[in-house]
Amino acid sequence: MDHFKNLFELSFDMLVVMDCNGRVVHYNSGLQKMLGYPVLLNSMKDFYTYMHPDDIASMDALVPQLIQGRELSGYLNRFRCVDGSYKWLQWNVSLDQINMYFYVIGRDVNHQKSFEQHLAAQELWYRSCLDNLLDGFSYYKTVRDEGGDIIDYRSEYMNDTFCRMMNYSKDEAVGRLWSQLFPDFTEEIRAVLKQVTSSGKPVLRQERVYNKWLTDEESYDVLYYKMGDGFACSWRNVTEYRRAQEHLELSNLKFTSAFHTNATMNFLIDLETATIIEMNQKFSQTIRRGHYSHFVNSIMQAIPAQGLLENIELPFLRQSGDTGYGVISGEVLEMKDKRYFLAFAIDITELRKAKKHLLLMDKLNLLSSMAASIAHEVRNPMTTIKGFLQLMQKNTTLASYRDTLNLMISELDRANGIISEYLSLANTRFVQKERKQLDVLVSNILPLLEADAAYSNILIVLDLHATEPVTVEEKEIRQLLLNLTRNAIEAMESGGELTIRTRMNQGNVILEVADQGHGIPKEHIEAIFTPFYTTKETGTGLGLAVCRSIAEHHGADIEIESSEEGTTFRVVF
């Protein structure tokens, strides 16, 4: 008996023995330990002294049932502690029908009760969060057949947003099968759900029209993931985001297309690294790659403080190696804490050439007008003077002056030649053009050219491969060729080789005269077609001007390539 008494006293629970009249026969110190102060229990009514006032009524209602022999299990009420707070106790009561004693066990469940309340509050908070989410959320448990295979899913929870999306109320939706809620769902979705619940790996899908309650205009990102013995899914309406994304992609496509296909040179400079990070095809085809750095530095030096550059003309190196000119405009942009310069450039190289050509044409027109008005007046007295000089040559008494007379006649012939060249600049005269083989014209004039070349010990080499005829005036082409070859001969030293070449290029007939001289200085190239411009002591400065005039009469272009190894004049018909 001592063992049982010790166990009775050492128990953490409160143990009480009462008779059928409610008199306490025996109790341990468990309640005193729980409440923190001495407890005196003589009868059932003494329990009320320590009980929470709100729990007394429910206790009164249970007493008659206990007397009738009903067992009580898990009954909860509150008892006052020494500090005035109340502690939750759980009671089990059993009646010994033979000895007619009540055996009462009370246990401190305050921590458990607090934990349950905390869990309940936490669950309420989580549910409140889920119910107020902007995303739709729902949870489903698997439904299996007798063999354990998944045959469906039962709805356990849906938040308010999901119910609105699906056009259901919670009462209508919770507890129903997935197949009932979504009768139109496909085998593809069925396979996704099976994969999620079996593998535990989440699946993100983009759904545009998932079932009959979702309209064509709405798009959703749906995340399926395993939860317990089932799965949860989160639906996010991304319709506006997708529309904005599509609009942005379309805008980017339009900008990219405009940037890369535009006829202007478009490029983007990283101002931090001073490098071009994006360019269109026009830019890459126009400017030589090795010149990018120098070109960028020139632009960066020209950018004003406000970051807006308007119509600044800068030089650049073209793919051909020639100097080109561009008009650059652009603006500084800031993106993701970095500064860029978006630039647009127009290649005005040809425009500058055209302006120079117009100035030259103005000079030629002026010369043409002057030539037409004074040529007749100048030649008439010169013809008279030459006639008298020739008569004086026949006079024997002036034989001692024969050399002087010959020199005078020679100078008159030279002056007359200058006037002839001067007149050939006029573009107002009418010429009769015919279809001619350029190779034949070159071959016909070859003896005259070889005579000029032989005097300077120059070898003329022909390379004739022009297969198509050209529409030309033969005399003018002969003059053109004579002027070009004479210039070439004068530019070469004795013993050189002069090449006359004809060929076809993209349907055009090409005539080239290439010498082996020392080349033309770069600073002189642009001016050599200007009338009266010459670097020779005895030159008139009209030969190449006449060549250009003849070329223009025939709708041809004259190009020059010059280096220290020689110069090539190219006429493109």
Side-chain angles (χ1 to χ4, degrees):
M1 289 298 293
D2 290 338
H3 295 303
F4 290 110
K5 184 177 181 180
N6 289 337
L7 287 174
F8 189 86
E9 288 297 330
L10 291 174
S11 175
F12 286 106
D13 295 334
M14 177 182 181
L15 303 178
V16 181
V17 180
M18 292 190 302
D19 60 20
C20 291
N21 297 318
R23 185 175 65 84
V24 176
V25 176
H26 190 67
Y27 65 95
N28 68 358
S29 59
L31 185 60
Q32 178 176 324
K33 295 175 183 176
M34 294 176 193
L35 302 183
Y37 56 87
V39 175
L40 181 63
L41 298 175
N42 294 317
S43 67
M44 182 70 177
K45 294 295 183 182
D46 291 338
F47 280 91
Y48 293 175
T49 306
Y50 312 105
M51 195 179 300
H52 194 289
D54 293 343
D55 297 338
I56 293 176
S58 63
M59 190 65 189
D60 283 338
L62 287 173
V63 170
Q65 300 178 33
L66 293 173
I67 294 174
Q68 294 176 7
R70 176 188 169 188
E71 291 189 356
L72 182 66
S73 177
Y75 174 71
L76 295 172
N77 59 10
R78 292 162 288 181
F79 278 71
R80 186 177 69 254
C81 298
V82 66
D83 60 359
S85 64
Y86 285 86
K87 182 177 288 188
W88 284 97
L89 302 182
Q90 185 182 57
W91 300 93
N92 291 339
V93 181
S94 177
L95 174 64
D96 182 354
Q97 299 284 351
I98 298 175
N99 299 313
M100 299 305 292
Y101 283 111
F102 287 100
Y103 297 103
V104 182
I105 301 176
R107 176 169 292 176
D108 183 357
V109 294
N110 195 63
H111 290 297
Q112 179 182 342
K113 190 69 175 178
S114 298
F115 182 70
E116 290 175 354
Q117 290 175 340
H118 175 72
L119 285 180
Q122 198 171 43
E123 181 181 359
L124 181 63
W125 184 81
Y126 283 130
R127 280 184 175 270
S128 177
C129 290
L130 287 174
D131 282 336
N132 289 282
L133 280 178
L134 295 178
D135 295 343
F137 178 82
S138 55
Y139 167 62
Y140 307 85
K141 272 190 176 181
T142 57
V143 178
R144 302 176 185 269
D145 60 16
E146 293 179 356
D149 295 326
I150 298 174
I151 58 175
D152 213 329
Y153 305 89
R154 189 178 306 280
S155 169
E156 296 291 325
Y157 171 77
M158 292 182 179
N159 70 353
D160 294 340
T161 303
F162 189 80
C163 290
R164 286 195 298 270
M165 287 179 178
M166 301 297 117
N167 198 27
Y168 279 126
S169 68
K170 284 188 177 183
D171 293 337
E172 292 173 330
V174 175
R176 296 180 66 183
L177 297 176
W178 175 277
S179 57
Q180 295 172 335
L181 294 170
F182 311 110
D184 298 331
F185 83 99
T186 63
E187 288 299 323
E188 181 183 3
I189 296 298
R190 192 188 300 273
V192 168
L193 299 182
K194 188 173 182 180
Q195 174 189 345
V196 169
T197 53
S198 59
S199 70
K201 295 181 180 180
V203 174
L204 177 64
R205 288 176 56 87
Q206 294 179 351
E207 306 288 357
R208 190 163 184 84
V209 180
Y210 186 73
N211 58 51
K212 64 183 179 181
W213 292 283
L214 298 181
T215 68
D216 291 343
E217 299 178 353
E218 293 185 318
S219 298
Y220 292 84
D221 279 348
V222 184
L223 180 65
Y224 300 92
Y225 53 94
K226 183 175 178 62
M227 178 177 283
D229 185 28
F231 72 92
C233 59
S234 175
W235 290 60
R236 174 166 294 181
N237 192 327
V238 293
T239 306
E240 293 303 321
Y241 170 76
R242 291 276 164 76
R243 287 174 183 168
Q245 190 178 43
E246 290 172 2
H247 178 72
L248 180 60
E249 289 175 355
L250 181 60
S251 297
N252 287 340
L253 181 63
K254 289 179 179 179
F255 174 79
T256 302
S257 177
F259 183 89
H260 286 284
T261 62
N262 203 282
T264 60
M265 296 184 289
N266 303 332
F267 53 102
L268 185 66
I269 299 174
D270 185 335
L271 294 178
E272 183 178 339
T273 60
T275 56
I276 297 175
I277 60 174
E278 191 72 35
M279 70 185 77
N280 67 351
Q281 188 176 18
K282 178 68 174 177
F283 184 93
S284 61
Q285 290 177 344
T286 304
I287 300 180
R288 181 173 287 187
R289 179 172 292 277
H291 186 67
Y292 288 174
S293 178
H294 178 76
F295 186 56
V296 168
N297 289 334
S298 299
I299 293 175
M300 291 180 65
Q301 292 174 8
I303 298 175
Q306 65 270 28
L308 183 63
L309 192 65
E310 294 183 299
N311 300 329
I312 300 298
E313 186 175 320
L314 292 174
F316 58 83
L317 191 64
R318 308 183 80 186
Q319 291 287 6
S320 61
D322 299 331
T323 299
Y325 295 88
V327 174
I328 295 93
S329 297
E331 185 174 4
V332 173
L333 306 176
E334 291 190 10
M335 295 181 288
K336 296 182 179 179
D337 299 327
K338 292 195 69 176
R339 298 176 74 247
Y340 302 91
F341 185 74
L342 179 62
F344 309 92
I346 300 175
D347 185 358
I348 62 167
T349 308
E350 298 303 322
L351 179 61
R352 284 170 60 96
K353 289 181 179 179
K355 286 182 178 180
K356 289 183 178 180
H357 182 65
L358 286 175
L359 292 175
L360 179 60
M361 291 302 298
D362 288 341
K363 291 182 180 180
L364 292 178
N365 288 334
L366 177 61
L367 290 174
S368 299
S369 300
M370 293 174 61
S373 62
I374 70 173
H376 180 71
E377 299 299 329
V378 172
R379 273 186 161 173
N380 282 343
M382 286 179 62
T383 302
T384 302
I385 293 172
K386 183 177 179 180
F388 277 108
L389 289 174
Q390 289 173 337
L391 287 175
M392 292 172 68
Q393 279 183 320
K394 296 178 180 180
N395 191 335
T396 56
T397 60
L398 298 175
S400 60
Y401 297 100
R402 189 175 302 278
D403 292 340
T404 303
L405 294 174
N406 287 337
L407 178 60
M408 295 174 67
I409 291 173
S410 172
E411 290 300 310
L412 283 173
D413 288 339
R414 194 167 77 87
N416 191 53
I418 293 174
I419 292 174
S420 297
E421 288 185 334
Y422 191 60
L423 286 173
S424 68
L425 293 174
N427 56 9
T428 56
R429 66 192 184 283
F430 173 78
V431 291
Q432 184 68 39
K433 298 178 182 176
E434 299 177 354
R435 297 285 285 175
K436 298 283 185 178
Q437 285 288 348
L438 190 58
D439 291 1
V440 174
L441 295 180
V442 174
S443 299
N444 289 341
I445 199 176
L446 180 60
L448 180 58
L449 302 179
E450 288 179 330
D452 284 347
Y455 183 77
S456 301
N457 194 25
I458 302 295
L459 176 64
I460 294 182
V461 178
L462 296 186
D463 181 18
L464 306 179
H465 298 287
T467 58
E468 297 291 331
V470 289
T471 303
V472 296
E473 201 284 322
E474 184 174 350
K475 291 182 179 179
E476 289 199 337
I477 297 304
R478 287 167 60 91
Q479 183 66 47
L480 170 71
L481 195 53
L482 277 170
N483 287 359
L484 291 178
T485 53
R486 283 174 180 169
N487 267 5
I489 291 169
E490 291 174 0
M492 296 169 60
E493 295 178 356
S494 177
E497 191 175 279
L498 187 151
T499 302
I500 300 176
R501 184 182 299 111
T502 62
R503 57 188 174 89
M504 303 297 298
N505 183 27
Q506 298 180 351
N508 297 323
V509 179
I510 310 296
L511 169 64
E512 292 181 343
V513 177
D515 63 47
Q516 295 180 339
H518 298 294
I520 303 172
K522 191 174 182 180
E523 61 271 17
H524 295 319
I525 287 180
E526 293 187 359
I528 60 175
F529 291 108
T530 304
F532 303 113
Y533 180 86
T534 181
T535 58
K536 305 172 187 176
E537 293 182 0
T538 59
T540 62
L542 292 173
L544 290 178
V546 169
C547 290
R548 168 167 280 187
S549 179
I550 292 172
E552 289 172 350
H553 294 166
H554 289 77
D557 293 324
I558 294 186
E559 301 173 354
I560 304 174
E561 287 184 6
S562 187
S563 67
E564 294 181 356
E565 286 75 30
T567 301
T568 298
F569 282 85
R570 182 180 300 111
V571 184
V572 183
F573 291 94

PDB file of all heavy atoms in Angstrom, residues 93 119 177:
ATOM      1  N   VAL A  93     -13.274  11.655 -15.242  1.00  0.00           N
ATOM      2  CA  VAL A  93     -14.009  11.206 -14.045  1.00  0.00           C
ATOM      3  C   VAL A  93     -14.622   9.833 -14.334  1.00  0.00           C
ATOM      4  O   VAL A  93     -15.272   9.643 -15.370  1.00  0.00           O
ATOM      5  CB  VAL A  93     -15.110  12.195 -13.639  1.00  0.00           C
ATOM      6  CG1 VAL A  93     -15.837  11.698 -12.375  1.00  0.00           C
ATOM      7  CG2 VAL A  93     -14.527  13.587 -13.406  1.00  0.00           C
ATOM      8  N   LEU A 119      -1.945  28.016 -32.557  1.00  0.00           N
ATOM      9  CA  LEU A 119      -2.112  27.388 -33.874  1.00  0.00           C
ATOM     10  C   LEU A 119      -3.391  27.863 -34.544  1.00  0.00           C
ATOM     11  O   LEU A 119      -3.424  28.132 -35.755  1.00  0.00           O
ATOM     12  CB  LEU A 119      -2.136  25.865 -33.731  1.00  0.00           C
ATOM     13  CG  LEU A 119      -0.796  25.167 -33.468  1.00  0.00           C
ATOM     14  CD1 LEU A 119      -0.997  23.663 -33.357  1.00  0.00           C
ATOM     15  CD2 LEU A 119       0.207  25.470 -34.592  1.00  0.00           C
ATOM     16  N   LEU A 177     -15.318  17.185 -56.375  1.00  0.00           N
ATOM     17  CA  LEU A 177     -14.213  16.591 -57.120  1.00  0.00           C
ATOM     18  C   LEU A 177     -13.731  17.536 -58.210  1.00  0.00           C
ATOM     19  O   LEU A 177     -14.506  18.342 -58.743  1.00  0.00           O
ATOM     20  CB  LEU A 177     -14.647  15.258 -57.735  1.00  0.00           C
ATOM     21  CG  LEU A 177     -15.038  14.150 -56.759  1.00  0.00           C
ATOM     22  CD1 LEU A 177     -15.525  12.924 -57.521  1.00  0.00           C
ATOM     23  CD2 LEU A 177     -13.857  13.789 -55.851  1.00  0.00           C
TER      24      LEU A 177
END
